[in-house]
Each structure stands twice: as C-alpha cells, then as structure tokens.
Amino acid sequence: MILRHTLPPALRRVASSPPSPLTYRPSPRSRPWFCCCRARMLSTLPRLPIFEAVAGHDPAATAVVHSVSGRSFTYGQLLADVSRARDRRREARGGADLDGERIAFLVENSYDYVVTLLAAIAARSIAVPLSPAFPAPELQYILNHSEASLLVSSFKFTPRADEVLATELTSKPAHLELAKHVGGQEKEAVALEDTDPAGAGLMLYTSGTTNRPKGVLLPQSALTAQCRSLVEAWKYTPSDHLLHVLPLHHIHGTVNALLAPLFAGSSIEFMFPFNADTVWKRLATPFLATNGTTTNGITATQPKVTFFTVVPTVYSRLLASHKSLPAELQEAARQAISPANLRVNISGSAALPTPIKAAWQTLSRGNVLLERYGMTEVGMALSCGLDFADRVDASVGWPLPSVQARLMDVDTGEVIPPGQDVDGAGRERSGEIQLRGPTIFKEYWRNPDATAKEFIADLDGHGPWFKTGDIAIRRPVPSAGHSAVQPWARGPLYFIQGRRTADIIKTGGEKVSALEVERELLSLPEVAEAAVVAVPSGNWGQKVGAVIILDTDVVHKWSPLDMRRALKSRLANYKIPQVMKVVDHIPRNAMGKINKKLLVRAIFSDAFSGDER
Ligand code: AMP
C-alpha cells in the first residue's frame, strides 16, 4: 500500500497511475513510503518505530536545519539518506551483516549526525556517538571497550579520527570518511520491511568519576519507550521548532532534543556550540522587523523557536548576557521567550536553582521553567507537568508515563510506602529513587558485575528495579497535580536531595542535602555560584563545605561568618556550612555538572581536620 497522503503533489500522480512494469509493486509485508524513481531499485528500512514515525510525517516538512548556513533537510530526504547511509556502512564492512555491531562516530551536531545515528540503528547496530571534545586516549578507550567494528567520521573530524586510529586499537575498526554535504541530494522510494530489530540500539558512555567510563546500552525498544513517554508528557508536535544547543554524546541532547522530536515530526535547528549572544539573536530574529532577508529572489524567514530544553547553566548564561544586548534585541528576545511563543522551556541534568527559575519568569513575562530528572541509564524518569501550576519550585514532578518509581530507605532497606513520606517524629523520609519499566537500559556493556550491582530484585514478578543512586523525598503540594489531560502528574511530587555518594552529607549523625544548602546559598544576593561538598572530618564524620563564587556587583569580600549570619534564618544550624572558600571558577563538564569528588580534594585538602578516619 502506498501512503498517498504523505506524497508531495508531483508524486501523487505516480502513485495514482496504474502500475507499469517498472513501478514498484508492494508485497503485503513491505510497504513503500513514497516512490519517485520508477527504474530505481527500491530502498528499504527496517520497520522500527522510529522509521515508522519518520515515514508518517509530511515528507516536505523540515526535519533538520543548520542554523548558521540556513541549510535545511526534510523528512522525505532524511528517510532516503538514512537508507543510503546504512548501505554504505555495510559496504564499508565488506557487505557484512552489522547486526549488534558497534558503529562509533565522530560527527558534528548536524544533519549528518542525525543520518549517521539513524543509519546505525537501521543497520540493526549499536550507535556509539563520540564527543570530538574527548582527548585521544578517551576516544581510544571507548573504541577498544565497545569493540567498535566501524568508525565513521565527518569531513571536519576525519583528522581526529586519524589521530585516534593511529593509537593502539584492539578492535581495529574499519574507517568510513563522510564527504562534505552528501545528504539531501535526491529523493528515493523507501519501503519499510518487517524485520527483527535484533541488536539495534545506542550506547552512551557515562562520565566516570573514579572508575573508567561505562558503556550504557539502550536497546531501540528502550529508546522508543523513552521517546513515546516524552512525546506524551511534553506534547511535541509537527509545528514545534526546537533550538538544539547541547552536546550529542549525552542522553539529554540525543533523546530529549533529537529522537523525541523526530518521533513527533518537529523541526530541529542545530546551533552548537552554545553561545549566549548567538542564541539570543536567533530567538529574537522572528520578532524583529528585519526578519526575512532576500537573497537571489528567495526570502528566508526564520521561524520562532517553540521548544527549548537545556541545562541550568545555559539559562544562567542567557540571563547574564541578556542585559548587554542592544535595546531592540532585548525586547524582541523577551517576546521570543514569552509563554505565547516559547511553548516549552525545560531544565534538567542538574538541579535548577530557584533564582534562575525566578529570573527567567520575570524576563519572559511569565514563562515558568519545567524541571525534569533523568540519567543516561534510564532516560527521563520524573518530570513536572505542562500546566504552570504543575511546574513546582524545587521539584522534579512525578514519574513520567510508563515509568515506575519508588523510594527505598537506604539505611533500613525498606521501601517507603506511598503516603507514608513522613516519619513518627514529623520528619520527611528520604530514600533512593529506584526505577523500572520499558525505558530502562539493558546493561553496562561487557560489565555484568556492575550491571548486577545496580539492580535489585523484586518478588512481585514485574522485574528488578534500577538503583539510581539519587536520593529524594516525596511531598504533596495541594495546588499541583490537577491537570485533566496529564493523568500521570498526580499525587505527591518528588524533590531531589542529591547523589547518595556526593550530595548527602552525614554530619554529626544528621543528613544534609547539598542541593538544599546550594539552593539557599544561591538565593543570597552575594552568591553567584555555589557548590556544597562533604569535607571529611574525624569529629563530625563529614563537615558541610561550601565553595562560592561571589557576585562582585554586590560584594567583594565575604567571610564564613557573613555566610553563617545570612543563612541563620534559612537553614537549621547543622545544615549551615562549617567551612567555606571563595573562588573565581568552579569547573563544570559539558553538561554544567560539577565533579564534587575532585572539587573537595582541590579546594579543601587544607581544611581536612586531621582527625579523619
Ligand atoms: P547523566 O547520566 O549524566 O545525565 O547524569 C544523571 C544525574 O544527573 C542524575 O543521576 C542526577 O544526579 C542528576 N540530575 C539529573 N537531573 C537532575 C535534576 N533535575 N535535579 C538534580 N539532579 C539531576
């Protein structure tokens, strides 16, 4: 059956004319999506949900835009290019079946990245995106560890690929160099074939703090479940235009900002690496009288951005740079991010400080950031809702559709029953977030011990739970959870306390959440950035330590005593940092995260009390 409604007008004639001997005749198990080249052999793609979704979108609709060059690619081109690219991957391996093989790639954020990722999945292989920012030894480690049989590099990153291929590689991958601008050349008929998805998937490497990075294997079934869950919760649509400024070797950039919008038929505009002024200019352009410049008789008008999902540091940098924009741009930028225009603005991957949320709301004249929680192993797990009343301050909301979540008291091993989130003494009970459902990863690659360690069995017959290592409390918020159209957003909300190993500070028998203390510190006018860490102490077990960057518009000197005075009315005494250091810079990774284990060693080694055990 030809899906006529998806055909461009010129092709509808071909589809409706009687079949000639050269016209493709579909078998019941193999349905072409569109057909324009009668004599050409029909390309195929496996009938996986991602390709069914892409084939169902308007082929003339924009899928991907390169912000700087303005080049854009349609869903029609995407499907044909993925099929061709998949064939080329097979040729590069001498026509071998790539089922379950690892295809690593070094490709910049672009249409070529999207084609390369999907081509690996189409080959029923495991896509292994590499960050061009990684040093050669790290790339070497990933290639060896994943036992990649093919390394694909874009024209731009072929020298990086050559550099890593010159190192000692146990896996000896074949190398496929992509030419410049290969995609989007011509359309071609593509049929979806019923095949077993077999080994198709994505492998992302976690940033290891003490150990080497682990390969997190997300089968295509988990990716599909993650995307469906997000599309249901955040309602991506074909009229959404998403501005993509995140790295693409991380779950946030890959699933939330790429695969989920492709599932929904939205447009994705790449603008990487992130630069606050450039992003403001892009956001503002549709609201300037000058939008729509004419070159060679063609007028390019930039569409407004409706969907933006980034990390808290991106919002923080945007807020800081807005003040220095020219006045006209400032106003257009405010319009661009207002609730009427920027439909969804999401923050995640690290805790969202309240002052950033509040400042964004003021600047945008009412847009409320939606916070969510997730990790590489599970995709997105918890999220606030689309109603503004459901974007509750400091909370990451409720379990997303298809995700099951529970809290386990890590001291007693008891699962905290829903509704019993407060103990006999009136204290909120914190526990580790544990998750299960179709969105969860399959395993750490070739590391059964690590995989076994992170799962905990359940006798209820519905499978084991993944232990996230993150601690949370649940709290009912009477004003939230009433949306008629988001039934998953109901009941008590989750509030993240931090990572069990780095953010839960045990001091003098009390437990302190580093995130809670950071939140209060950041609410003080004197503090621009803050990281709260556990400083080892023999007397206290651990001391609460604060690393601070001052807001020099407000203050130039600030002592530990000033800090204690400022926090006195905000925090219980035992939560107030006992040691504090003011610094000029706090190192963060590409996702804005702080490695607290390294930070405490770098900053507080002289504050260790000497009585540590
Ligand atoms: P990654 O696997 O690199 O995405 O890191 C996942 C970790 O980021 C989680 O285990 C949490 O510790 C942290 N994280 C993600 N989202 C949030 C959030 N909204 N608030 C606090 N921490 C978060």
Side-chain angles (χ1 to χ4, degrees), residues 250 349-351 371-376 396 470 496 499 593:
H250 190 273
S349 299
E371 189 167 4
R372 58 69 186 167
Y373 158 89
M375 65 193 298
T376 312
V396 291
D470 288 307
I496 307 282
R499 287 215 57 79
K593 289 179 204 264

Side-chain angles (χ1 to χ4, degrees), residues 249-305:
H249 60 286
H250 190 273
I251 193 97
H252 190 165
T254 314
V255 173
N256 308 16
L258 183 58
L259 291 174
L262 289 178
F263 257 90
S266 316
S267 313
I268 300 145
E269 180 173 334
F270 284 115
M271 191 182 245
F272 184 83
F274 168 72
N275 172 287
D277 287 351
T278 323
V279 166
W280 274 132
K281 263 183 219 141
R282 170 62 189 88
L283 291 170
T285 298
F287 301 91
L288 293 171
T290 49
N291 189 25
T293 46
T294 305
T295 326
N296 300 333
I298 300 167
T299 304
T301 310
Q302 296 205 350
K304 71 178 181 187
V305 172

Side-chain angles (χ1 to χ4, degrees), residues 139-438:
L139 296 175
Q140 178 195 23
Y141 167 80
I142 296 176
L143 286 177
N144 279 337
H145 183 261
S146 65
E147 296 169 70
S149 61
L150 183 62
L151 171 61
V152 179
S153 61
S154 62
F155 182 79
K156 182 174 174 185
F157 290 126
T158 289
R160 293 274 7 240
D162 287 337
E163 194 189 335
V164 69
L165 287 166
T167 64
E168 206 170 303
L169 291 176
T170 47
S171 68
K172 305 264 178 283
H175 184 196
L176 176 66
E177 304 171 25
L178 302 180
K180 252 185 176 173
H181 303 325
V182 276
Q185 306 293 322
E186 52 176 322
K187 289 188 181 135
E188 195 174 286
V190 177
L192 299 184
E193 275 187 326
D194 290 334
T195 37
D196 182 349
L202 170 70
M203 188 142 75
L204 297 173
Y205 275 79
T206 57
S207 38
T209 44
T210 43
N211 300 316
R212 298 308 301 261
K214 286 186 282 209
V216 176
L217 177 58
L218 297 157
Q220 70 82 31
S221 58
L223 294 172
T224 299
Q226 290 178 11
C227 291
R228 286 186 173 149
S229 175
L230 291 188
V231 172
E232 183 183 338
W234 298 340
K235 310 241 175 286
Y236 301 76
T237 69
S239 37
D240 273 321
H241 190 87
L242 182 145
L243 189 63
H244 196 301
V245 301
L246 295 170
L248 276 173
H249 60 286
H250 190 273
I251 193 97
H252 190 165
T254 314
V255 173
N256 308 16
L258 183 58
L259 291 174
L262 289 178
F263 257 90
S266 316
S267 313
I268 300 145
E269 180 173 334
F270 284 115
M271 191 182 245
F272 184 83
F274 168 72
N275 172 287
D277 287 351
T278 323
V279 166
W280 274 132
K281 263 183 219 141
R282 170 62 189 88
L283 291 170
T285 298
F287 301 91
L288 293 171
T290 49
N291 189 25
T293 46
T294 305
T295 326
N296 300 333
I298 300 167
T299 304
T301 310
Q302 296 205 350
K304 71 178 181 187
V305 172
T306 64
F307 207 114
F308 197 49
T309 172
V310 291
V311 296
T313 46
V314 165
Y315 288 110
S316 153
R317 286 205 243 152
L318 284 172
L319 287 163
S321 86
H322 183 267
K323 307 178 195 88
S324 45
L325 297 173
E328 190 201 15
L329 215 58
Q330 282 196 19
E331 181 47 36
R334 291 188 73 178
Q335 253 180 288
I337 62 169
S338 68
N341 295 316
L342 185 60
R343 194 178 67 77
V344 184
N345 43 189
I346 301 175
S347 173
S349 299
L352 173 64
T354 309
I356 294 181
K357 192 178 184 191
W360 187 260
Q361 191 168 357
T362 306
L363 188 70
S364 63
R365 301 192 179 98
N367 221 341
V368 184
L369 292 180
L370 185 161
E371 189 167 4
R372 58 69 186 167
Y373 158 89
M375 65 193 298
T376 312
E377 288 86 339
V378 302
M380 298 306 110
L382 306 167
S383 173
C384 286
L386 285 180
D387 279 5
F388 280 177
D390 289 348
R391 305 185 191 185
V392 173
D393 209 18
S395 172
V396 291
W398 302 268
L400 277 157
S402 86
V403 176
Q404 287 181 54
R406 68 180 191 183
L407 289 181
M408 177 176 275
D409 184 321
V410 286
D411 296 326
T412 62
E414 187 204 346
V415 175
I416 301 173
Q420 296 179 31
D421 294 315
V422 177
D423 69 14
R427 283 182 179 226
E428 288 178 311
R429 300 173 73 185
S430 63
E432 179 183 45
I433 303 172
Q434 299 185 345
L435 303 164
R436 70 180 179 185

